Amino acid sequence: MTSFLTADRLAQERAASETPHDTRRLRLFSGTSNQELSREIGAYLGVPDGPRVIKRFADGETYIQIQESIRGCDVFLVQPTCAPVNDHLMELLIMVDACKRASARQVTAVIPYYGYARADRKTAGRESITAKLVANLLTMSGVDRVLAMDLHSSQIQGYFDIPCDHIYGSPVLVDYLQTRNLGEVVVVSPDVGGVARARAFAKQMHDAPLAIIDKRRAAHNVAESLTVIGDVAGKTAILIDDMIDTGGTICQGARLLRRSGAARVLCCATHAVFSPPATERLSEPGLFEEVVVTNSIPLAEERRFPQLRVLSVANMLGEAIWRIHEESSVSSMFR
């Protein structure tokens, strides 16, 4: 499996190559939601975060200006649509419009965290499907391609009428876990809907056994765990999910695993949404040995806790960006 956790492999390849890669037509710009991640991606690519002005008028309207020529360039806009979701989504749309009007050859929206993804179908009458709505907004704003990571559900790729490259944070998580002495491992899905994700993760963990938590949800952000399907007694249980929001599902699952005899409990997720009171729940003494997430969403210092481990996905996103720019395969990164 390709490692995106340590060495800058692309830099090593460039140094070994007699013909240097041409990045003159590659431009990278970040919004305000995760500028540190954008800088890390730029360092991997050897491309600086482009100059732009982003400011707000007194009434809250956003003004954006690109401050260098991007005519005929491949432009990549890095902007996870995390909280405040509406502000960051609108900021991304305005950035796209600015780039299209500046005659960019192609504009790719790099969205490490795709907000509004949980409403991906109608489960009751008169509901909106916001995942499709956001896809329509991005398409109509002028985006030529979307690069997203760990969408809440895979079918969201089909909501776009433009190319959508979907990559996964699991290689970074697996690389880290394999450096730990975990003993006998069982991968646990916190609900039935995450079984496919957990099964794929278990395969990457040397075909580890799989367990499932049977859960019923009473309301939004309120979960009730019932029972564990599978053997976890005496093993290191790794709960895997795409995101942690308030932490209710994951924490109830961890308590159930402890009661079922799991020797150690770890939690892995790509997106650390961490809406209150997630930090208090996840940091409960004796619950999790470690909570492993990525930096797809920036985490303020007040939302961090001793059990938290944040891994960078900058190299993975940078590699995907380079492959899109070079018109080579993105999916082969995960073979």
Side-chain angles (χ1 to χ4, degrees):
M1 180 176 297
T2 304
S3 173
F4 298 95
L5 184 58
T6 54
D8 185 341
R9 181 172 57 81
L10 186 57
Q12 295 172 0
E13 290 178 354
R14 289 177 181 173
S17 175
E18 295 181 0
T19 305
H21 292 276
D22 184 6
T23 59
R24 289 175 298 176
R25 292 293 180 182
L26 174 61
R27 293 289 187 274
L28 186 72
F29 294 91
S30 68
T32 59
S33 63
N34 199 342
Q35 296 180 71
E36 180 59 33
L37 175 60
S38 184
R39 282 191 288 267
E40 291 182 24
I41 294 172
Y44 180 88
L45 292 168
V47 176
D49 192 357
R52 81 286 184 275
V53 171
I54 299 178
K55 62 182 182 181
R56 304 197 186 279
F57 293 108
D59 63 352
E61 291 183 6
T62 301
Y63 170 85
I64 295 177
Q65 181 191 29
I66 306 299
Q67 294 190 297
E68 67 177 5
S69 175
I70 55 173
R71 185 179 296 272
C73 294
D74 279 353
V75 177
F76 294 84
L77 306 177
V78 182
Q79 178 82 330
T81 52
C82 50
V85 181
N86 297 338
D87 289 348
H88 289 151
L89 175 59
M90 194 65 201
E91 189 178 287
L92 175 59
L93 298 175
I94 296 173
M95 288 176 68
V96 172
D97 185 70
C99 291
K100 296 299 288 188
R101 295 180 187 278
S103 301
R105 186 182 75 87
Q106 177 175 273
V107 177
T108 301
V110 181
I111 311 176
Y113 171 69
Y114 185 85
Y116 281 114
R118 282 171 282 192
D120 57 4
R121 64 195 184 282
K122 289 183 69 173
T123 58
R126 298 170 297 282
E127 283 185 337
S128 64
I129 304 177
T130 54
K132 172 60 174 171
L133 172 62
V134 171
N136 289 343
L137 289 171
L138 289 166
T139 302
M140 295 306 296
S141 70
V143 170
D144 297 294
R145 179 183 292 269
V146 169
L147 172 60
M149 185 170 68
D150 273 327
L151 293 167
H152 189 61
S153 53
S154 295
Q155 67 262 27
I156 293 175
Q157 298 172 74
Y159 296 173
F160 291 94
D161 296 324
I162 54 177
C164 177
D165 293 295
H166 186 207
I167 64 174
Y168 306 92
S170 56
V172 174
L173 301 172
V174 169
D175 280 350
Y176 172 72
L177 291 174
Q178 289 178 345
T179 66
R180 301 286 311 278
N181 183 18
L182 298 177
E184 190 176 2
V185 168
V186 57
V187 175
V188 184
S189 173
D191 52 37
V192 175
V195 170
R197 182 184 301 107
R199 184 182 294 115
F201 194 85
K203 185 176 181 179
Q204 296 174 58
M205 291 291 292
H206 305 294
D207 285 320
L210 181 67
I212 304 167
I213 294 177
D214 181 27
K215 178 204 69 177
R216 293 179 183 175
R217 184 179 294 277
H220 291 297
N221 294 327
V222 177
E224 181 185 359
S225 298
L226 298 178
T227 187
V228 176
I229 304 171
D231 181 22
V232 299
K235 300 180 181 180
T236 299
I238 301 176
L239 276 160
I240 180 70
D241 211 344
D242 64 317
M243 70 169 73
I244 302 175
D245 190 357
T246 61
T249 298
I250 287 289
C251 290
Q252 288 201 35
R255 294 187 190 98
L256 186 59
L257 291 171
R258 292 286 189 185
R259 292 195 300 269
S260 300
R264 304 160 68 183
V265 179
L266 287 80
C267 169
C268 292
T270 303
H271 308 302
V273 179
F274 285 8
S275 303
T279 299
E280 291 76 11
R281 287 173 171 172
L282 295 168
S283 59
E284 179 182 322
L287 187 59
F288 290 108
E289 181 176 314
E290 199 164 16
V291 177
V292 187
V293 298
T294 75
N295 63 343
S296 64
I297 295 175
L299 277 176
E301 196 60 38
E302 61 270 15
R303 292 197 291 169
R304 295 174 181 261
F305 48 93
Q307 300 95 322
L308 183 66
R309 172 74 174 180
V310 181
L311 307 177
S312 177
V313 290
N315 289 5
M316 176 182 294
L317 288 166
E319 178 73 8
I321 287 171
W322 181 255
R323 291 179 182 224
I324 291 171
H325 176 64
E326 287 287 283
E327 298 182 340
S328 60
S329 172
V330 174
S331 62
S332 63
M333 292 167 55
F334 304 96
R335 292 173 187 163

